[in-house]
Amino acid sequence: MNGVIGPKRFYKEASVASHAMGFAVTLDGRIPKTPAKNHLILPNANAARLVASEWAMQGDSIDPASMPVTRLINVALDHGATSRDAMVDQVVKHAGTDLVCYRAPTPDSLIQAQAAAWDPLLDWAKQHFEVELVTTTSALAIHQSPLALERVARAARALDDLRLTALAFANGLAGSAIVALALVHGQLSGEDAFKAIRIEEDWQAQRWGKDPDEEKVAQARRLDLIAVEALVKALGA
């Protein structure tokens, strides 16, 4: 509950029902609405069950922080169709300064850890989307080719509203369009995506110990990435 008391739970049972537009989440037989008053209807039963499970797991009060998939669906239903260009632009922006392209110059152990985690992702992006990003050990910004960035944009635009929303969310969490694309396309699990963006932090923690406050923020990010994985799996191929 994160110490925050949300609205009182107003339903007994969360379930799923077939609907003309797909599959609806139901609370005591009624379809809840998003903040913009859209009905909570998903394209398939698995995705609807995933959302319903978050509602079912609530206690006496509803904690939105414990419902990451529902939050993602709300954004997608309310803004996905009208915000596609903005979401694609954000993904491309992160690709231009992608985390996996900025490498430590020293020490060898960190260099090797980054290469082991990130080189396969860059290879995958090149093979899967023809996206070829350059890397650097300099602190100065590098300029990725317009062609590479356009291919990132093309990969993002190819996704439907739900998956594009998930991509944009993961992109912001990861600071990496490449990690986000790999997660949404099933190349990385949510857990592995989290590990991929934490290479330097984990390397530092092994030597100097963990910061409890930073660790709390990191774990929230981890759960959100796992939620993205769960959603794209539920949506299916």
Side-chain angles (χ1 to χ4, degrees):
M1 279 294 189
N2 298 327
V4 177
I5 299 176
K8 185 176 180 180
R9 179 167 174 160
F10 56 89
Y11 56 92
K12 291 183 179 179
E13 182 181 21
S15 190
V16 169
S18 181
H19 189 277
M21 297 175 62
F23 290 84
V25 176
T26 63
L27 305 178
D28 294 340
R30 297 182 178 182
I31 305 174
K33 293 183 179 180
T34 68
K37 309 304 180 184
N38 291 302
H39 284 103
L40 206 51
I41 299 172
L42 284 300
N44 65 37
N46 286 338
R49 290 189 194 102
L50 180 62
V51 176
S53 70
E54 290 189 335
W55 288 88
M57 289 188 294
Q58 298 303 301
D60 293 337
S61 298
I62 298 172
D63 177 16
S66 70
M67 306 171 74
V69 178
T70 300
R71 297 199 316 270
L72 264 176
I73 295 298
N74 285 343
V75 172
L77 294 179
D78 289 349
H79 307 291
T82 58
S83 299
R84 288 185 61 85
D85 287 346
M87 289 191 288
V88 170
D89 287 347
Q90 282 301 308
V91 173
V92 172
K93 182 179 179 180
H94 277 79
T97 57
D98 206 287
L99 171 72
V100 302
C101 295
Y102 287 82
R103 307 298 178 91
T106 58
D108 287 346
S109 57
L110 180 54
I111 292 171
Q112 292 167 6
Q114 289 177 336
W118 296 345
D119 286 355
L121 295 178
L122 288 171
D123 290 342
W124 171 81
K126 183 178 179 180
Q127 294 170 8
H128 202 73
F129 299 112
E130 298 182 280
V131 171
E132 190 167 3
L133 299 182
V134 296
T135 65
T136 183
T137 57
S138 170
L140 298 177
I142 50 177
H143 297 284
Q144 302 294 349
S145 75
L147 178 59
L149 297 181
E150 174 51 37
R151 286 172 174 170
V152 170
R154 184 176 65 189
R157 289 192 201 103
L159 300 171
D160 60 30
D161 292 347
L162 287 174
R163 290 175 177 84
L164 178 56
T165 301
L167 175 69
F169 182 57
N171 174 72
L173 290 169
S176 169
I178 299 302
V179 170
L181 282 167
L183 175 58
V184 168
H185 283 276
Q187 182 70 15
L188 282 179
S189 67
E191 193 74 61
D192 286 341
F194 177 70
K195 291 176 182 177
I197 66 172
R198 296 278 304 174
I199 300 297
E200 184 168 357
E201 289 85 352
D202 289 345
W203 183 88
Q204 295 282 0
Q206 289 175 359
R207 284 149 184 80
W208 313 112
K210 296 180 180 180
D211 179 329
D213 291 335
E214 193 276 336
E215 187 72 9
K216 184 177 180 180
V217 173
Q219 287 307 310
R221 186 173 299 176
R222 171 180 167 268
L223 293 176
D224 281 344
L225 289 169
I226 290 172
V228 170
E229 177 196 7
L231 175 58
V232 294
K233 278 187 174 181
L235 290 171

